Amino acid sequence: MLAQLLHLKGIDSVVLEDRSREYVEHRIRAGVLEQGTVDLLHEIGVGERLGREGLVHDGIEIQFAGERHRIDFASLTGGRRITVYGQQEVVKDLIAARLKTGRPLHFEVDDVEISEVDSDFPLIRFGHDDDEIELRCDFIAGCDGFHGVCRDSIPAGVLTAFEREYPFAWLGILAAAAPSNEELIYAHHERGFALHSMRSPEVTRLYLQVRPDENLDEWPDDRIWEELRLRLGLEGWTLNTGEVLEKGITGMRSFVVEPMQHWRLFLAGDAAHIVPATGAKGLNLAVADVRLLAAAIAAWYRDGDGSLLERYSADALRRVWRAQHFSWFMTSMLHRLEGGDEFDSRLQLAQLAYVCSSEKAAASLAENYVGLEHV
Ligand code: PHB
């Protein structure tokens, strides 16, 4: 995304990817795009398939105490919506756009090393097709995820990390089954949280709250479907089932480093922050980061103006912390709190009843979910 934004401003870049094209184009990740993310994909010329295949949703449903409640985003936010479109589909579209520009994109690079980060021309060394390559850079964008090399190449003492681990994880499946509901369903249940989502009219994505150390082997498909039926079930509603195409467990954690920059090295997306998936913000935050970064780099090349680069971290972190709060709010409201008592559980029900009955409370959830225009 950053490379495409820079390309459109006439700025060259080299994109390095650790994995193969095949791997990144098929890795199942997030699926909810905020309105602003969708708008940006259209603006940069990669929205054609998204427009055709993306599933536009005007709201979500929240289920608790045996009832489902709809939060209507469109009416609560002046017409803003979300689009369900798999992250790997966005990745495919961006790779295709990059290849069309003819600018460099290298897959399966290895031994990436970053050095001289305290200089005006930091250095990247990497291996590719048996060659050792050195890149002298004006800027390095660390868009390399939580386990990437960029954050760790910043000298000790520069960054402060803020972290929270949640005492649960999500067991997620992708199934060859038509979605059982038009909307996403976030279900709070005494057996634990469950989420009904989708990827297409033929493919459902479903999640169950489990323990962080849960063993996938103890979850044969039948047990998963039964548990989903118990948590998502309602009179007169049936859960469509089908072949399980993919199964995995994801931990829930919040993580932020500050600042998101060291000299000419800028961190974006999961390299700088992780949110629990309940707020569907991870991919959208990464996009918001690189939108700021592209504008800042462009101003530097065009006018020699470094002021946006200086403000990048502070500007990005305002949205990051808003999203952290929203993700924490959704996570704590919806999950069964391990070790929580009856008081905690009554507080959750009071909060759920409030967001589902007060238009003002629902509007606050809605504007955060579809993505705030200004933070
Ligand atoms: C998904 O479809 O993968 C999904 C949807 C909503 C979330 C998290 C994940 O909050």
Side-chain angles (χ1 to χ4, degrees):
M1 177 72 99
L2 178 60
Q4 179 72 2
L5 285 162
L6 292 175
H7 163 73
L8 293 172
K9 294 173 196 295
I11 300 165
D12 207 356
S13 62
V14 179
V15 183
L16 304 181
E17 170 60 54
D18 183 40
R19 305 283 191 159
S20 69
R21 179 175 180 185
E22 167 75 14
Y23 180 89
V24 297
E25 288 191 342
H26 294 95
R27 168 174 55 184
I28 307 295
R29 289 279 181 92
V32 174
L33 308 187
E34 292 177 356
Q35 181 77 57
T37 302
V38 170
D39 294 345
L40 188 61
L41 287 163
H42 282 293
E43 262 170 53
I44 65 173
V46 294
E48 195 262 327
R49 198 163 62 93
L50 165 67
R52 254 189 298 122
E53 295 178 17
L55 305 171
V56 177
H57 286 237
D58 285 350
I60 54 166
E61 296 198 72
I62 296 186
Q63 178 172 330
F64 66 98
E67 283 180 29
R68 244 174 235 170
H69 307 261
R70 184 154 190 280
I71 308 277
D72 190 283
F73 295 156
S75 69
L76 291 164
T77 64
R80 290 168 73 76
R81 296 168 165 82
I82 55 149
T83 300
V84 173
Y85 188 68
Q87 177 170 326
Q88 76 281 8
E89 304 305 325
V90 177
V91 167
K92 281 180 203 159
D93 298 343
L94 287 169
I95 289 172
R98 177 68 179 181
L99 294 176
K100 238 197 225 168
T101 67
R103 296 201 195 260
L105 160 56
H106 303 302
F107 291 100
E108 296 179 82
V109 299
D110 39 46
D111 303 325
V112 180
E113 262 179 39
I114 291 171
S115 55
E116 302 179 40
V117 286
D118 289 311
S119 81
D120 276 349
F121 299 100
L123 183 69
I124 305 180
R125 282 200 191 85
F126 64 98
H128 186 239
D129 291 343
D130 298 329
D131 290 330
E132 292 265 329
I133 301 172
E134 280 196 2
L135 276 179
R136 272 284 158 205
C137 309
D138 288 336
F139 300 102
I140 298 177
C143 308
D144 55 344
F146 183 70
H147 299 287
V149 295
C150 286
R151 191 178 63 249
D152 287 345
S153 64
I154 295 177
V158 171
L159 302 178
T160 306
F162 302 85
E163 209 163 351
R164 174 153 305 179
E165 296 266 351
Y166 298 87
F168 35 76
W170 283 9
L171 189 165
I173 61 166
L174 193 70
S180 312
N181 196 57
E182 286 210 359
E183 307 279 31
L184 272 66
I185 307 166
Y186 286 81
H188 171 83
H189 192 277
E190 61 209 15
R191 298 180 65 86
F193 169 73
L195 172 61
H196 166 277
S197 179
M198 64 209 67
R199 285 294 178 274
S200 74
E202 298 85 33
V203 177
T204 311
R205 182 88 171 131
L206 297 144
Y207 297 97
L208 288 169
Q209 174 185 350
V210 294
R211 293 191 324 270
D213 59 348
E214 198 79 32
N215 181 357
L216 208 49
D217 295 340
E218 287 168 22
W219 287 87
D221 297 355
D222 287 352
R223 181 177 175 204
I224 296 175
W225 289 116
E226 181 54 25
E227 194 62 35
L228 285 164
R229 256 184 233 109
L230 287 169
R231 297 187 194 180
L232 288 165
L234 272 191
E235 276 283 306
W237 181 80
T238 41
L239 177 65
N240 299 334
T241 59
E243 188 195 345
V244 174
L245 307 169
E246 212 250 3
K247 209 192 276 195
I249 293 188
T250 322
M252 292 277 126
R253 74 138 61 108
S254 301
F255 174 83
V256 183
V257 286
E258 295 186 5
M260 288 169 55
Q261 176 209 354
H262 180 63
W263 208 236
R264 299 292 189 102
L265 170 57
F266 294 83
L267 302 177
D270 283 15
H273 42 74
I274 300 278
V275 282
T278 331
K281 287 280 161 268
L283 174 156
N284 296 293
L285 271 185
V287 168
D289 287 349
V290 298
R291 182 208 287 264
L292 289 175
L293 189 52
I297 291 174
W300 186 88
Y301 280 112
R302 195 182 54 229
D303 311 320
D305 176 2
S307 61
L308 289 180
L309 283 171
E310 265 165 47
R311 283 174 37 190
Y312 165 72
S313 176
D315 286 349
L317 283 166
R318 273 197 306 281
R319 180 176 295 274
V320 168
W321 278 110
R322 175 87 293 283
Q324 286 293 357
H325 184 275
F326 177 66
S327 306
W328 164 85
F329 160 78
M330 291 287 279
T331 302
S332 13
M333 174 172 74
L334 286 160
H335 288 75
R336 196 173 88 91
L337 301 175
E338 221 58 66
D341 56 19
E342 270 306 301
F343 192 88
D344 291 318
S345 149
R346 289 292 192 280
L347 288 180
Q348 287 180 309
L349 291 171
Q351 185 62 33
L352 284 160
Y354 182 49
V355 295
C356 295
S357 62
S358 152
E359 194 175 311
K360 291 200 171 71
S364 165
L365 188 152
E367 74 164 353
N368 278 279
Y369 200 102
V370 298
L372 291 157
E373 281 178 90
H374 305 287
V375 186

